[in-house]
Amino acid sequence: EVQLVESGGGLVQPGGSLRLSCAASGFTVSSNYMSWVRQAPGKGLEWVSVIYSGGSTYYADSVKGRFTISRHNSKNTLYLQMNSLRAEDTAVYYCARPHYDILTGSLNYFDYWGQGTLVTVSS
Amino acid sequence: SYVLTQPPSVSVAPGKTARITCGGNNIGSKSVHWYQQKPGQAPVLVIYYDSDRPSGIPERFSGSNSGNTATLTISRVEAGDEADYYCQVWDSSSDHPGWVFGGGTKLTVL
């Protein structure tokens, strides 16, 4: 059974840093594409970052240069290092696995999601 | 970047049909996916590739996509269908591709 369990959220001051973790089970993180999606309180879903199985990383413009996605293969865990945090980064952060279509070579929907971890940036 | 537009809210009586739209420029040329999200819970995929249903999703949920509009249709609506619904596409058209979500539609069952 596939499971994604996030941790590491909490209250942090503006300008501070936080590292989120996503422990995966039921599949191998390093063999898959993995992503972070966030949701500000009362707002919609926003894609944040992705790490490809080959190691390439991409970010939404809103977090580029401040957030870093990575993975630890032996721990089968995904991370999101968040620096220079702003009030507008306050959100529930979800770890999610994008579905990769082997036939078309395209990325599509998110087939598995974690339960989310809340990050609050406030003084 | 690509923009998806959803109505903020849709209301429907139990047993009736709800239609939630998702507008985007030539969205019919893209694959559209739909998620259901209930309060305090993670999103759940209900439709993928425009009209396919994951296992465990009732047949009452269906989807279509053509031109500039994709539509999620929920037939014989039940109280348990009350939730926020989001459409989503993969945007590979820009120089930095990524996933795009619509703003979400709150479905209220009267």
Side-chain angles (χ1 to χ4, degrees), chain A:
Chain A
E1 179 192 9
V2 170
Q3 275 197 317
L4 298 170
V5 180
E6 301 96 333
S7 60
L11 175 63
V12 61
Q13 292 188 338
S17 298
L18 208 58
R19 189 179 80 158
L20 306 183
S21 300
C22 170
S25 58
F27 72 100
T28 303
V29 165
S30 61
S31 301
N32 283 265
Y33 295 74
M34 293 297 297
S35 197
W36 290 94
V37 176
R38 69 183 181 182
Q39 185 171 35
K43 302 297 184 182
L45 300 169
E46 179 189 18
W47 170 72
V48 173
S49 181
V50 63
I51 183 167
Y52 285 13
S53 54
S56 298
T57 58
Y58 298 93
Y59 302 90
D61 287 344
S62 57
V63 306
K64 196 175 298 181
R66 300 188 298 123
F67 290 11
T68 302
I69 190 172
S70 64
R71 66 192 180 205
H72 194 298
N73 294 346
S74 63
K75 294 184 177 180
N76 210 35
T77 298
L78 178 73
Y79 301 103
L80 185 67
Q81 178 66 44
M82 304 185 295
N83 299 331
S84 303
L85 283 162
R86 308 165 179 167
E88 54 265 34
D89 295 319
T90 294
V92 173
Y93 285 73
Y94 294 101
C95 168
R97 190 181 79 171
H99 175 263
Y100 176 72
D101 189 323
I102 296 176
L103 294 179
T104 63
S106 65
L107 289 163
N108 296 283
Y109 51 89
F110 297 99
D111 54 6
Y112 292 99
W113 298 69
Q115 85 288 351
T117 187
L118 177 62
V119 172
T120 303
V121 183
S122 175
S123 55

Side-chain angles (χ1 to χ4, degrees), chain B residues 42-59:
Chain B
V44 173
L45 183 71
V46 293
I47 292 289
Y48 63 103
Y49 290 145
D50 298 338
S51 59
D52 289 343
R53 272 179 293 102
S55 61
I57 300 302
E59 292 183 5

Side-chain angles (χ1 to χ4, degrees), chain B residues 3-104:
Chain B
V3 176
L4 295 174
T5 302
Q6 296 182 237
S9 63
V10 167
S11 298
V12 63
K16 299 299 185 182
T17 297
R19 294 179 179 83
I20 299 172
T21 59
C22 177
N25 184 34
N26 197 25
I27 195 174
S29 66
K30 299 180 180 294
S31 291
V32 179
H33 318 290
W34 292 90
Y35 302 87
Q36 176 193 69
Q37 186 181 34
K38 296 182 178 179
Q41 298 183 18
V44 173
L45 183 71
V46 293
I47 292 289
Y48 63 103
Y49 290 145
D50 298 338
S51 59
D52 289 343
R53 272 179 293 102
S55 61
I57 300 302
E59 292 183 5
R60 301 183 296 105
F61 288 79
S62 62
S64 62
N65 184 20
S66 178
N68 292 317
T69 304
T71 303
L72 172 69
T73 301
I74 309 172
S75 304
R76 303 180 300 282
V77 167
E78 302 173 356
D81 298 331
E82 188 162 284
D84 294 326
Y85 291 86
Y86 295 90
C87 58
Q88 173 253 306
V89 300
W90 162 254
D91 179 26
S92 60
S93 59
S94 64
D95 57 356
H96 47 278
W99 286 265
V100 178
F101 290 94

